[in-house]
Amino acid sequence: MSSEITNYIGYAASVFIVLSFILKDLTKIRIVNLIGCICFVVYGIFSGMLWPVIIPNAIVCFVQVYHLLTAKKK
């Protein structure tokens, strides 16, 4: 993938992460943060397997999905 598109994915990830700090509804925060983390994982992969970016964001993705799924059951 071209480095320009990869950079745009990284910028989009940053926007989603920052946006998640602005929101007040917990479900919306988790969804927006999840999107940002997914973008960061994709960015890390396309930037040459940047493991320090991929690993923590992948973990946060699983945490957000877990909390979204368990919140629906309550």
Side-chain angles (χ1 to χ4, degrees):
M1 183 169 288
S2 76
S3 65
E4 186 175 334
I5 293 172
T6 302
N7 286 336
Y8 286 133
I9 293 171
Y11 290 131
S14 297
V15 168
F16 281 113
I17 297 297
V18 170
L19 182 61
S20 73
F21 284 100
I22 297 170
L23 300 171
K24 292 185 179 183
D25 179 21
L26 187 58
T27 302
K28 289 179 184 176
I29 291 169
R30 292 193 185 284
I31 292 170
V32 171
N33 188 269
L34 175 63
I35 294 168
C37 288
I38 291 169
C39 288
F40 265 129
V41 169
V42 171
Y43 171 78
I45 292 169
F46 288 141
S47 294
M49 299 308 285
L50 300 175
W51 292 109
V53 174
I54 297 168
I55 292 170
N57 282 288
I59 292 169
V60 173
C61 284
F62 286 114
V63 170
Q64 298 296 25
V65 168
Y66 171 79
H67 284 293
L68 286 167
L69 293 175
T70 57
K72 299 286 183 188
K73 293 180 182 177
K74 292 180 182 179

